[in-house]
Amino acid sequence: MTDHRPSYHIWTVGCQMNKADSARLGAELEGRGYIPAPSPEEADIVVLNSCVVRQSAENRVLSKLSSLKALRRSRPQALIALTGCMVDGNLAELERRFPHVDSFFRPQDFYPFLSHVQPSGEAPVVSTTELKVCEFVPIISGCDKYCTYCIVPYRRGRERSRRLEEVVCEVERLAARGVREVTLLGQNVDSYGHDLPGRPDLAALLDALNGVAGLARIRFLTSHPKDMTDRLIQAVGTLDKVCEHVNLPFQAGDDDILRRMGRRYTVVQYRDLVARIREAVPGVCLSTDVIVGFPGETEEQFLRTVSILEEARFVTVHVAAYSPRPGTAAARLSDSVPTSEKKYRLQIVETLQEGIVAEI
Ligand code: SAM
Ligand code: SF4
């Protein structure tokens, strides 16, 4: 028998936060009686969860948006929505550029969007997410750091932490359903709690979650070096369920570039932090993010990034060529490193990292 329930399709590009938002949106729609559809053409609700952190991601979203024009013509009754970091405050401009999209909502306006979705009238489906063993749990949204190259603070707003008790309750519920591993998410996950009464920190949250029955592993992403405290390092070293893994983006290995990126730490401070983590957490796996070709980055400055990579020996390096983002402070600087040079620097980092990983 064919299932005539209404269906949804979510297309996602970008970071873990976007993937987690999409998973939550899917679970909410399933709670309203919708079933997942394998393609936009078969769905009643189509949501694009976008990323504009780099031009390459934005291009993918634009191409997907353009492909939905045919769907608009063939299925005028389908609801097409756009969310994620492409949605800024200027809805009129988005409506003008993409008239075939019915609804635009910022990631932080998830629930107002859902309030416009008609419940299907059918019983909720058994969510596929309930069967998962690993789950992402966002604990802090937004970003207050305003690194000069980054669009995220303009699109995701100020940092907002979820209450500690609320996160613990959610993880308890997940563990009771068979989830064994949770990854706590935030653009700056280690600044968790500074905006809450009593200012609980990530170390306190990890400590509370370490006691959740049935849960085996806890991870967290992404840490800003400036917010990584000794308390947090101790928590990673001592709490048995917390995985010995820290993603600690350094972005650039030169103080002048770091200052112009607005990163708020120096190379010496970063190296010292890595040493303290390695000492307190034996066998720790460190990963990082790096940008090559920031405006004005000389060959010499780039080689300082290479030195840190050689020295710290990360298990994973997410490397990207600098991409100017309109509206950010760095976009006012001349994008002076030629594309060919950015590609060359990318390749050097990738080749070096492949060698390090092979050795590890
Ligand atoms: N909050 C984290 C941090 O402080 O590093 C990372 C979040 S950011 C959305 C993810 C990564 O995208 C960054 O670490 C950076 O390497 C990269 N990124 C952000 N803006 C970029 C840009 N304009 N060009 C190239 N890479 C960029
Ligand atoms: Fe972007 Fe910097 Fe915030 Fe990370 S800390 S999300 S790179 S502004």
Side-chain angles (χ1 to χ4, degrees):
M1 201 178 80
T2 339
D3 197 333
H4 292 296
R5 287 167 186 262
S7 60
Y8 72 92
H9 180 85
I10 306 176
W11 180 88
T12 311
V13 64
C15 63
Q16 298 297 354
M17 190 67 92
N18 266 16
K19 289 175 192 153
D21 286 347
S22 291
R24 293 186 151 231
L25 184 57
E28 291 285 348
L29 288 169
E30 288 174 29
R32 288 163 173 74
Y34 286 71
I35 54 172
S39 72
E41 289 70 30
E42 293 159 75
D44 299 290
I45 297 180
V46 179
V47 181
L48 299 195
N49 194 352
S50 63
C51 171
V52 291
V53 161
R54 286 184 286 276
Q55 189 62 46
S56 50
E58 184 166 350
N59 290 347
R60 287 182 64 195
V61 181
L62 290 172
S63 136
K64 192 75 185 173
L65 272 166
S66 164
S67 75
L68 291 182
K69 286 182 190 155
L71 174 74
R72 172 80 304 153
R73 285 191 294 271
S74 62
R75 305 208 33 231
Q77 75 285 7
L79 170 71
I80 302 178
L82 177 70
T83 184
C85 288
M86 188 178 266
V87 183
D88 54 11
N90 194 346
L91 287 189
E93 175 61 12
L94 286 167
E95 281 162 6
R96 187 192 65 75
R97 286 176 71 196
F98 311 113
H100 59 298
V101 175
D102 303 294
S103 172
F104 301 90
F105 65 98
R106 297 182 308 165
Q108 52 272 48
D109 296 334
F110 192 91
Y111 285 100
F113 166 74
L114 280 167
S115 67
H116 296 297
V117 170
Q118 289 293 328
S120 76
E122 305 276 350
V125 281
V126 176
S127 169
T128 47
T129 51
E130 285 182 39
L131 307 173
K132 275 207 221 137
V133 173
C134 308
E135 281 284 2
F136 290 110
V137 178
I139 61 166
I140 174 166
S141 61
C143 179
D144 291 351
K145 292 280 190 292
Y146 288 91
C147 299
T148 58
Y149 51 83
C150 187
I151 194 78
V152 168
Y154 301 93
R155 299 300 162 89
R156 291 200 171 246
R158 305 287 299 185
E159 284 176 1
R160 265 185 326 220
S161 305
R162 293 174 65 196
R163 286 190 310 108
L164 187 142
E165 301 74 25
E166 183 187 316
V167 177
V168 174
C169 262
E170 177 174 340
V171 173
E172 281 171 348
R173 274 201 309 274
L174 291 172
R177 288 201 324 231
V179 169
R180 303 276 290 153
E181 175 177 318
V182 290
T183 301
L184 310 177
L185 291 180
Q187 299 293 350
N188 287 302
V189 75
D190 51 349
S191 70
Y192 172 79
H194 70 89
D195 53 333
L196 293 175
R199 298 174 69 93
D201 61 3
L202 182 56
L205 178 60
L206 290 174
D207 190 47
L209 294 178
N210 200 57
V212 172
L215 191 68
R217 285 179 298 280
I218 308 166
R219 301 174 185 275
F220 56 92
L221 281 175
T222 289
S223 303
H224 192 290
K226 184 160 188 308
D227 294 327
M228 175 64 62
T229 60
D230 284 333
R231 251 176 74 80
L232 180 54
I233 298 172
Q234 279 308 316
V236 178
T238 53
L239 296 172
D240 61 326
K241 293 184 184 174
V242 178
C243 295
E244 287 83 11
H245 174 226
V246 182
N247 187 39
L248 199 64
F250 75 89
Q251 310 296 3
D254 177 85
D255 282 343
D256 172 54
I257 301 280
L258 284 175
R259 187 182 48 75
R260 292 196 292 115
M261 284 179 161
R263 289 293 291 179
R264 311 177 193 199
Y265 51 84
T266 62
V267 173
V268 167
Q269 286 168 332
Y270 186 83
R271 284 203 167 105
D272 172 64
L273 181 57
V274 168
R276 278 187 286 134
I277 296 174
R278 289 221 187 272
E279 196 186 333
V281 191
V284 66
C285 289
L286 291 178
S287 56
T288 200
D289 295 10
V290 168
I291 295 177
V292 298
F294 185 77
E297 186 189 61
T298 62
E299 174 81 17
E300 208 184 340
Q301 288 173 319
F302 165 65
L303 289 176
R304 295 197 182 108
T305 293
V306 172
S307 293
I308 296 203
L309 294 172
E310 285 169 338
E311 198 182 293
R313 297 172 67 78
F314 298 99
V315 289
T316 310
V317 175
H318 308 107
V319 56
Y322 169 71
S323 169
R325 301 287 69 209
T328 60
R332 292 198 291 272
L333 307 170
S334 150
D335 183 15
S336 58
V337 180
T339 308
S340 57
E341 180 61 25
K342 284 181 187 165
K343 281 193 181 147
Y344 175 67
R345 292 181 190 179
L346 269 182
Q347 209 189 345
I348 291 190
V349 171
E350 280 162 4
T351 310
L352 168 69
Q353 190 52 28
E354 276 165 25
I356 291 173
V357 170
E359 283 169 23
I360 292 174

